Amino acid sequence: MRENREFYINDQGTELHLKLEVPEALKEPHTLGIVVHGFTGDMEEPHIITATKALRDAGCASLRAELYGHGKSGGAFFDHTIDRWLENLRAVIAYARTLKEYDRLILCGHSQGGLLVMLEAAEIPDQIDALIPLSPAVMIPEESRNGILLGVQFSPDHLPEQILVEDGIPLGKAYLECAQAIDPYAVIGAYHGPVLIVHGADDLTVPLSVAERASKEYENVTLTVIEGEDHCFDFHPDQMAEAVRSFVEKL
Ligand code: FER
């Protein structure tokens, strides 16, 4: 039986909100794509829906997940960290692997979710059949070490208890400590499977140069640059969708 489901799984006491969608025309080999939003994001953002629909159009099922402190999942935004998100993602992957009807697993994430899927694919390279980071925010760790995130400055050596992001939303010290300890460029190349990075040429949140640098770490990578496009693919969502769909169809 194929059906769409909205449900929760528990990761170490945190309820994680998930949506599984299976197309009528599920193609062989059966492929499931996990889709993760970014910092302050959720699974209903237009660009997350666009990526999910592109997977469906390629004949794949999708599993959208909301991670700690975001969307309808548990936890406070203030307390979220990239490490907590990694643990959440591992719980989502463990759940996905119980769905025995799927032969292949894809990880797709936007921005901070893009960095996340890159880090996790490097941990379990043989379990991930393709990786799709969208506008991946690979520079968050470096910016944390430099004491500036999203235009907010702080002392990287004497971290404040919190910073205020996006016009006043408090984000705790644990986020900064965790981010400072991550070195994405040292690890992401451990994933050897196919990678599609899609990035807007006019992304002001994560500059295109970040995607260019990250793509150098991969041996099997396509970097699709969308001209006149921003961080959330607000101007040409059809081009992002087409990049994702055609990449997945060729796997
Ligand atoms: C930052 C740059 C980008 C940052 C977060 C992001 C917390 C992530 C953006 C997103 O996920 O959309 O400096 O600091």
Side-chain angles (χ1 to χ4, degrees), residues 139-247:
M139 76 304 173
I140 291 176
E142 198 172 321
E143 291 192 347
S144 301
R145 289 189 286 273
N146 289 337
I148 181 158
L149 283 178
L150 296 167
V152 180
Q153 282 188 280
F154 53 89
S155 165
D157 303 318
H158 302 94
L159 290 174
E161 289 306 312
Q162 63 175 49
I163 61 169
L164 299 179
V165 296
E166 299 192 357
D167 293 332
I169 307 170
L171 174 64
K173 184 181 185 177
Y175 178 94
L176 307 173
E177 277 173 341
C178 170
Q180 284 188 335
I182 297 170
D183 186 358
Y185 296 108
V187 298
I188 58 175
Y191 179 70
H192 299 287
V195 181
L196 171 69
I197 302 177
V198 189
H199 213 105
D202 298 341
D203 187 337
L204 298 178
T205 306
V206 179
L208 174 59
S209 58
V210 171
E212 289 169 341
R213 182 172 167 201
S215 35
K216 292 200 177 77
E217 302 297 327
Y218 292 114
E219 62 207 44
N220 185 359
V221 63
T222 305
L223 170 60
T224 297
V225 178
I226 303 181
E227 295 302 326
E229 188 54 287
D230 68 3
H231 186 55
C232 292
F233 304 96
D234 290 320
F235 295 99
H236 307 290
D238 49 322
Q239 291 185 33
M240 183 265 274
E242 179 54 21
V244 172
R245 189 195 60 73
S246 64
F247 170 78

